[in-house]
Amino acid sequence: MLDALGDPTRRRILELVRDGARPVGEIARHVPVSRPAVSQHLRVLKEAGLVHDRQEGTRRLYAVDASGLTALRAYLETFWDTALAAFKEAAEAEETREETT
Amino acid sequence: MTDPIEPISKSVFVRCDVERAFDLYTQGTDTWWPLETHTRHEEVEGAKVERVEFPTEPGMPILEHLSTGDALTWGELLVHDRPNRIVLAWKPNSNPNPPTEVEITFTPEGEGTRVDLEHRGWERLGALAEEGRAGYDEGWDFVLGRFANAA
């Protein structure tokens, strides 16, 4: 999921679809990559649970959970992992130092 | 309505006693917290984090003090129960949304301490999102902003 957000083109695509559902062709006009490449990016975003699609007539529309809660939550999962790993390292370094002095 | 939003739960075992773990977490925050990546200093041009002020009185803010003299809040201390537990109203941003809640408990276990962290209260943000209240767009702004800065 975080890999999905790590790519600048995918972040741009998310910015485009966060305000409303759009078809691939329209998204492709706003990013400097080919339409097949946009489809590929959308597939990655969909697999990461950041984007969903629906069929409307002949068009397939892509949209996001506009609140971004899924993305925020996933971001904070790694935020806390990193913070607690740093905490553990510090707590145990301090303990070791005390034992050896 | 969407499904209830599960809290984030994290747990880590550290080889030191609960008092030390609690004091390091609260009073020694800036000695271990990832200050480069997990702080708000990018909001102030050219600022670096000087120290983190962690209160012991409920109702007081947790503050990130910057080299520019500014202080940015991470939220507010709700419960300070040394050496067992802290609860924080968590809002490390200046957006007009309610805080989420972070609870950290320190439990003696074997030769050390188990630290459990729960980050909850997402429904408060979710409710705003569902109402479509203007100005609420926390998630994407925060996450995309973060990644843009990291890129």
Side-chain angles (χ1 to χ4, degrees):
Chain A
M1 136 91 216
L2 291 166
D3 287 346
L5 276 166
D7 181 276
T9 304
R10 286 201 283 274
R11 288 201 302 271
R12 177 74 186 117
I13 292 172
L14 279 171
E15 283 167 358
L16 287 167
V17 298
R18 66 193 273 196
D19 298 324
R22 293 173 189 248
V24 179
E26 194 185 321
I27 297 166
R29 281 203 296 280
H30 292 90
V31 290
V33 297
S34 69
R35 192 171 162 145
V38 169
S39 294
Q40 176 63 29
H41 284 308
L42 283 167
R43 189 149 58 241
V44 173
L45 291 168
K46 194 177 156 183
E47 280 166 9
L50 293 168
V51 159
H52 43 85
D53 58 348
R54 67 169 195 272
Q55 194 73 33
E56 203 174 272
T58 57
R59 302 193 308 173
R60 182 165 291 279
L61 299 177
Y62 291 84
V64 294
D65 157 24
S67 71
L69 278 184
T70 312
L72 180 62
R73 222 177 150 282
Y75 173 82
L76 287 168
E77 287 271 350
T78 52
F79 176 97
W80 289 119
D81 279 339
T82 308
L84 289 178
F87 174 70
K88 179 179 170 71
E89 197 178 315
E92 297 186 347
E94 199 173 318
E95 185 80 343
T96 307
R97 196 161 60 240
E98 189 143 297
E99 280 166 8
T100 53
T101 49
Chain B
M1 279 299 291
T2 51
D3 295 329
I5 304 164
E6 286 282 302
I8 290 174
S9 293
K10 299 287 174 191
S11 195
V12 67
F13 175 81
V14 296
R15 284 189 300 276
C16 70
D17 61 39
V18 280
E19 287 80 8
R20 184 188 297 278
F22 185 94
D23 291 344
L24 180 66
Y25 198 100
T26 57
Q27 297 313 307
T29 312
D30 41 24
T31 65
W32 60 271
W33 187 267
L35 298 174
E36 280 295 313
T37 53
H38 287 45
T39 52
R40 298 181 57 184
H41 70 281
E42 285 156 354
E43 294 174 31
V44 179
E45 181 105 33
K48 286 197 159 36
V49 184
E50 301 244 293
R51 65 191 174 89
V52 177
E53 180 184 350
F54 203 104
T56 55
E57 287 292 312
M60 298 297 285
I62 301 146
L63 293 172
E64 170 186 330
H65 290 278
L66 300 176
S67 53
T68 50
D70 297 287
L72 300 174
T73 177
W74 291 3
E76 184 186 309
L77 183 66
L78 298 178
V79 176
H80 186 267
D81 174 18
R82 182 180 185 273
N84 306 306
R85 187 169 79 103
I86 49 174
V87 182
L88 315 170
W90 187 254
K91 195 173 105 58
N93 56 60
S94 51
N95 299 342
N97 53 267
T100 49
E101 196 165 278
V102 176
E103 176 171 19
I104 303 159
T105 53
F106 301 83
T107 313
E109 188 177 275
E111 299 283 290
T113 302
R114 194 181 73 244
V115 182
D116 293 303
L117 182 148
E118 185 172 280
H119 192 169
R120 62 195 176 219
W122 305 100
E123 57 281 354
R124 301 175 196 170
L125 301 182
L128 284 186
E130 278 170 22
E131 286 170 25
R133 198 177 294 182
Y136 177 71
D137 217 353
E138 164 107 345
W140 288 117
D141 283 343
F142 181 76
V143 174
L144 291 170
R146 278 287 163 177
F147 275 87
N149 287 334

